[in-house]
Amino acid sequence: VDDQVGQEAARYVDTLTKPKGSLGRLEAIAVELAKITGHMKPQVSPPGIIVFAADHGIAAEGVSAYPQEVTAQMVHNFLNGGAAINVFARQIGAMLEVVDIGVAQPLAAPGLISRKVRYGTANFLKETAMSLKDAVAAIEVGIERAEAMIDRGIKSLIVGEMGIGNTTTSSAMLAAFLCGDTSGAYPGPDTTELAERMKGLVGPGTGVKQERVIHKQSVIARALALHRPNGQDPVDVLSKVGGLEIAGMAGAILAAARHHIPVIVDGFICTVAALTAVRLCPHVNDVLLAAHRSQEPGHQVALRLLNKEPLVDLGMRLGEGSGAAVAFPLVEAACRMIGEMATFQSAGVTDGEGA
Amino acid sequence: VDDQVGQEAARYVDTLTKPKGSLGRLEAIAVELAKITGHMKPQVSPPGIIVFAADHGIAAEGVSAYPQEVTAQMVHNFLNGGAAINVFARQIGAMLEVVDIGVAQPLAAPGLISRKVRYGTANFLKETAMSLKDAVAAIEVGIERAEAMIDRGIKSLIVGEMGIGNTTTSSAMLAAFLCGDTSGAYPGPDTTELAERMKGLVGPGTGVKQERVIHKQSVIARALALHRPNGQDPVDVLSKVGGLEIAGMAGAILAAARHHIPVIVDGFICTVAALTAVRLCPHVNDVLLAAHRSQEPGHQVALRLLNKEPLVDLGMRLGEGSGAAVAFPLVEAACRMIGEMATFQSAGVTDGEGA
């Protein structure tokens, strides 16, 4: 990031026709975007949205309120323009693409980007979710798709996901990033204590009842005790308890960071993908803006690890990138403020005495 | 408001392709807009923004960080498209008009709507701010301007203001609405205790230092003790310690309510204007959506009186309607959700088991 441009932008914001600091968070975002992009008048439009879809073997353990076939059905809904992310993408004028990176059934439809790494992950309660090679391949799909959109001219990136079971996967990955740092973090065959520690990381996802949340905690604890993923090694975590769409999102975020493209981070699953990218390359964190605070409890933990404060808190928990798309206009407003407002001097307005 | 349409809208939102409740606040807003407008698929675009500008005699008491001539200078900035509200109005595709309802100097410029009721209010530390007749005339200007915009096809209304000194006026009005309800609320010539009670209602406005905030508290307490405005009578409050632009905003809000046009309420000054309108006609509260939480402390008190929870909290305190314009896309997103999303049935997606 370009700290000098950031400092110039901060000084410039104070010359605009408004009391100093009176646009609050928007002023800070404008300065952040100037640092990320290296431009005093940064732009985030048009935004690009890539929705990665994949299935999760862990869905067989009854962790979701929806059957696995919904992943494929929702891919068709995306392609037909009827899902929440389509609606919000149209509102913000975003380029949108849908990538089959691992749906558990054959899929072909006009507009679908087919990059299936495998037919869903394996049930990680029984075996590793995928090979190391597949995890790397999925990251590479994400890099490729983000670079293609960047070539087409997007100025900011939103990544979204669809995958029945993927809050369970995300909670397992987050737990691995947290617990896997401590030696002896994974106890022996008795996983009761580990399951207890999953509280705060595991939530209702699409809306399962409390007893099923406890079941999710137990499933994750047993999987962690079985595979003992290394929290310092994101590819190990992805391969043991991860998801193909999460790997793809992490790859896309890596590519955006390399090109100084700001990433508007959606909710829980996206933030875990961002955390994966940041563990691979810490500088990635500099291009991330947290869009919204999800109702999923693990999201707060993941946000804290990235040291990010979301822009809005609307009680959303849908995924698909929807929270990022809904919050996007606030980021756009920050850009327009620094790009279009008159200064006290240019407008002939008397400046105040300062605060 | 139409409760039956609201109930139908709530049921319909649950059939859209997303886990029930997963769009959080957006779902509640969509239902609220359905109730206000009487349409299952409500629309808020195009929005209309009316900025009322007026001066405040109380500015002579040194309550602002800016000199009074800034009001007129900012009117020119609005007309030239360089102010924050212009930038955000363009972003959301809003109709925007600027009304001189009481700037303290002669103003004429292309595009300006001239409806000057008087050349600023009087200094209410010494005399009443304006006559009852002027207060009513200013309300009528607001009604007229809102009706003109509604005729031109706006589907929601934002009212903004410009007036050096108007946080002092708004704090005085809010205090009158609060204290004026209690008999004996206004003590005798010793206003120390009353000034103490102004804490929490009086803030830094454009950015004055703490000692000046205390001065503002004292000015307001003395004005209230002098005029003893009747908190049950909003026109009495306007005339004794009010502002012309605040009266205009209240009038515009009244007109919007009569036409079932949702009002996106900006920060402190706008919320006091909304409170004025609600005290004139309690049903007005049904069409109000609070946009953002201002940093000005009195805003929380005013919001509580209206029982409203803002959509965003971005630390803004600029006025002009800017916070409402910045939050508007979230309201638009709610409309698009209910208007454009596919249902489980129409998209052929298997519904879940519910939460």
Side-chain angles (χ1 to χ4, degrees):
Chain A
V1 298
D2 194 326
D3 283 321
Q4 201 185 322
V5 172
Q7 282 163 26
E8 279 170 38
R11 277 193 296 270
Y12 180 72
V13 165
D14 280 347
T15 69
L16 302 174
T17 48
K18 55 169 189 54
K20 283 182 191 45
S22 63
L23 283 175
R25 197 75 197 275
L26 296 191
E27 299 189 12
I29 294 167
V31 171
E32 219 172 312
L33 293 169
K35 280 166 70 171
I36 295 170
T37 61
H39 293 291
M40 277 283 292
K41 298 192 171 183
Q43 289 188 11
V44 290
S45 281
I49 304 176
I50 311 176
V51 179
F52 295 92
D55 274 305
H56 294 258
I58 199 68
E61 299 299 327
V63 288
S64 176
Y66 289 81
Q68 189 174 68
E69 69 252 30
V70 167
T71 303
Q73 290 168 347
M74 282 299 294
V75 167
H76 289 292
N77 196 20
F78 296 142
L79 296 170
N80 292 328
I85 191 60
N86 299 103
V87 171
F88 302 140
R90 287 194 290 270
Q91 182 183 350
I92 64 174
M95 289 186 205
L96 171 64
E97 78 173 29
V98 183
V99 181
D100 172 7
I101 195 167
V103 179
Q105 56 181 265
L107 274 184
L112 179 66
I113 310 286
S114 294
R115 292 290 185 282
K116 208 190 283 287
V117 172
R118 49 178 287 167
Y119 283 82
T121 51
N123 180 346
F124 62 65
L125 189 55
K126 299 190 169 144
E127 53 188 311
T128 57
M130 62 185 118
S131 66
L132 288 169
K133 202 177 138 211
D134 286 345
V136 171
I139 291 171
E140 282 170 349
V141 167
I143 294 172
E144 177 226 324
R145 295 321 305 161
E147 301 219 312
M149 263 207 183
I150 293 165
D151 281 347
R152 285 165 66 202
I154 60 162
K155 294 280 180 274
S156 61
L157 180 69
I158 291 170
V159 289
E161 40 51 52
M162 180 68 222
I164 293 302
N166 67 8
T167 59
T168 302
T169 299
S170 299
S171 290
M173 289 184 67
L174 178 58
F177 286 134
L178 280 169
C179 308
D181 288 353
T182 324
S183 85
Y186 303 121
D190 179 7
T191 57
T192 321
E193 189 211 316
L194 189 57
E196 187 66 21
R197 276 156 52 198
M198 293 304 117
K199 281 183 187 171
L201 305 182
V202 181
T206 45
V208 301
K209 293 195 181 66
Q210 183 52 26
E211 59 262 35
R212 202 99 77 92
V213 174
I214 293 164
H215 172 62
K216 279 171 81 169
Q217 289 166 2
S218 157
V219 165
I220 293 166
R222 283 181 281 153
L224 292 175
L226 173 66
H227 300 301
R228 309 174 86 83
N230 176 357
Q232 305 295 333
D233 180 350
V235 180
D236 187 62
V237 172
L238 275 172
S239 120
K240 284 173 172 166
V241 296
L244 293 152
E245 82 282 43
I246 298 171
M249 294 164 94
I253 291 168
L254 286 169
R258 186 163 68 188
H259 293 274
H260 307 286
I261 297 287
V263 178
I264 325 289
V265 178
D266 193 40
F268 179 45
I269 296 148
C270 183
T271 305
V272 169
L275 192 56
T276 307
V278 168
R279 295 263 167 150
L280 283 166
C281 174
H283 286 308
V284 165
N285 204 23
D286 297 336
V287 307
L288 306 180
L289 297 175
H292 81 118
R293 190 182 300 286
S294 165
Q295 274 210 316
E296 189 69 12
H299 192 215
Q300 322 321 320
V301 179
L303 284 170
R304 217 160 35 234
L305 289 175
L306 293 173
N307 197 23
K308 300 286 175 186
E309 189 59 33
L311 283 168
V312 295
D313 186 350
L314 296 168
M316 291 172 65
R317 53 174 172 82
L318 174 58
E320 302 176 4
S322 59
V326 165
F328 176 84
L330 304 178
V331 183
E332 170 74 15
C335 289
R336 286 177 178 247
M337 172 200 74
I338 196 168
E340 300 180 21
M341 271 184 76
T343 63
F344 281 103
Q345 196 170 11
S346 74
V349 176
T350 310
D351 198 356
E353 63 200 34
Chain B
V1 299
D2 194 326
D3 284 323
Q4 202 185 320
V5 172
Q7 282 162 26
E8 278 169 40
R11 277 193 297 270
Y12 179 71
V13 165
D14 281 346
T15 68
L16 302 174
T17 47
K18 55 169 189 55
K20 281 181 191 50
S22 64
L23 284 175
R25 198 75 197 277
L26 296 190
E27 300 189 12
I29 294 167
V31 171
E32 219 171 313
L33 292 169
K35 280 166 70 169
I36 294 169
T37 61
H39 293 291
M40 276 283 292
K41 299 191 171 183
Q43 288 187 10
V44 289
S45 280
I49 305 176
I50 311 177
V51 179
F52 296 92
D55 275 304
H56 294 257
I58 198 68
E61 299 299 328
V63 290
S64 175
Y66 290 81
Q68 189 175 68
E69 69 252 30
V70 167
T71 303
Q73 290 169 346
M74 283 298 295
V75 167
H76 289 293
N77 196 19
F78 296 142
L79 296 171
N80 292 329
I85 191 61
N86 298 103
V87 171
F88 302 141
R90 287 194 290 270
Q91 183 184 349
I92 65 175
M95 288 186 206
L96 171 65
E97 78 173 30
V98 183
V99 181
D100 172 7
I101 195 168
V103 179
Q105 57 180 265
L107 274 183
L112 179 65
I113 310 285
S114 294
R115 292 288 185 283
K116 209 190 281 288
V117 173
R118 49 177 286 167
Y119 283 83
T121 51
N123 180 345
F124 63 63
L125 190 54
K126 298 188 170 147
E127 53 188 310
T128 57
M130 62 185 118
S131 65
L132 288 169
K133 204 178 136 209
D134 285 346
V136 172
I139 292 171
E140 282 170 348
V141 167
I143 293 172
E144 177 226 323
R145 296 322 306 163
E147 301 217 313
M149 261 206 183
I150 293 165
D151 281 348
R152 285 164 67 201
I154 60 161
K155 293 280 181 276
S156 61
L157 180 69
I158 290 170
V159 289
E161 39 54 49
M162 180 67 223
I164 294 301
N166 68 6
T167 59
T168 301
T169 300
S170 299
S171 290
M173 290 183 66
L174 178 58
F177 286 135
L178 279 168
C179 309
D181 288 354
T182 324
S183 82
Y186 302 123
D190 179 7
T191 56
T192 322
E193 189 211 316
L194 189 57
E196 187 66 22
R197 277 156 54 197
M198 293 305 116
K199 283 183 183 168
L201 304 182
V202 180
T206 45
V208 301
K209 294 196 179 68
Q210 183 53 23
E211 58 262 34
R212 204 98 78 91
V213 174
I214 292 164
H215 172 61
K216 279 171 79 170
Q217 289 167 1
S218 159
V219 165
I220 294 167
R222 283 180 283 153
L224 292 175
L226 173 66
H227 300 301
R228 308 174 84 82
N230 175 358
Q232 303 296 331
D233 179 351
V235 180
D236 187 61
V237 172
L238 275 172
S239 122
K240 285 173 172 165
V241 296
L244 294 151
E245 83 281 42
I246 299 172
M249 295 164 93
I253 291 168
L254 286 169
R258 187 163 70 191
H259 292 274
H260 307 286
I261 297 288
V263 177
I264 325 290
V265 178
D266 192 40
F268 179 44
I269 296 148
C270 184
T271 305
V272 169
L275 192 57
T276 307
V278 167
R279 294 264 167 146
L280 284 165
C281 174
H283 286 309
V284 166
N285 204 22
D286 297 337
V287 307
L288 306 180
L289 297 175
H292 82 119
R293 189 182 300 285
S294 164
Q295 273 209 317
E296 189 68 14
H299 192 215
Q300 322 320 321
V301 179
L303 284 170
R304 216 157 41 231
L305 289 175
L306 292 173
N307 197 24
K308 299 288 175 186
E309 188 59 35
L311 282 167
V312 295
D313 186 350
L314 297 168
M316 291 172 66
R317 53 177 172 83
L318 174 59
E320 302 177 3
S322 59
V326 165
F328 175 84
L330 305 178
V331 183
E332 170 74 16
C335 289
R336 287 178 179 246
M337 170 199 74
I338 197 169
E340 300 179 21
M341 271 184 75
T343 63
F344 282 103
Q345 197 170 13
S346 75
V349 176
T350 310
D351 198 355
E353 64 201 32

